[in-house]
Amino acid sequence: MERDQAELLAIRALGHIAADEDLLGDFLALSGLAPDELRARAGDADFLGGVLDYMLADEARLLAFCEAEEVKPQWPAAARRALPGGEEVHWA
């Protein structure tokens, strides 16, 4: 997967998180970010890698995202590998 495609998928994941109050609260708590910081960092490739890390950390969350966005379950892991720090991540 190319980096621009990976960034777009991560932005979709961020939108999925933002649309769900429970997911958003959990993500903000884990990341330590405030909502305004989230918006400011939405275009940062390093941050987007973290968004995908969050999605990939929980299979149910990942599958819910994939179903809602109609993407194959292996795409988020492929996208993560295409973003900064992804070469060090070994998602199945």
Side-chain angles (χ1 to χ4, degrees), residues 26-70:
D26 186 47
F27 182 77
L28 291 173
L30 286 171
S31 68
L33 296 173
D36 60 328
E37 292 173 301
L38 186 73
R39 286 186 286 279
R41 300 208 44 210
D44 176 10
D46 289 318
F47 172 72
L48 292 173
V51 169
L52 291 175
D53 286 340
Y54 174 77
M55 296 305 292
L56 291 163
D58 182 272
E59 185 176 9
R61 181 169 53 221
L62 172 66
L63 293 176
F65 162 68
C66 291
E67 183 177 333
E69 292 294 317
E70 299 180 351

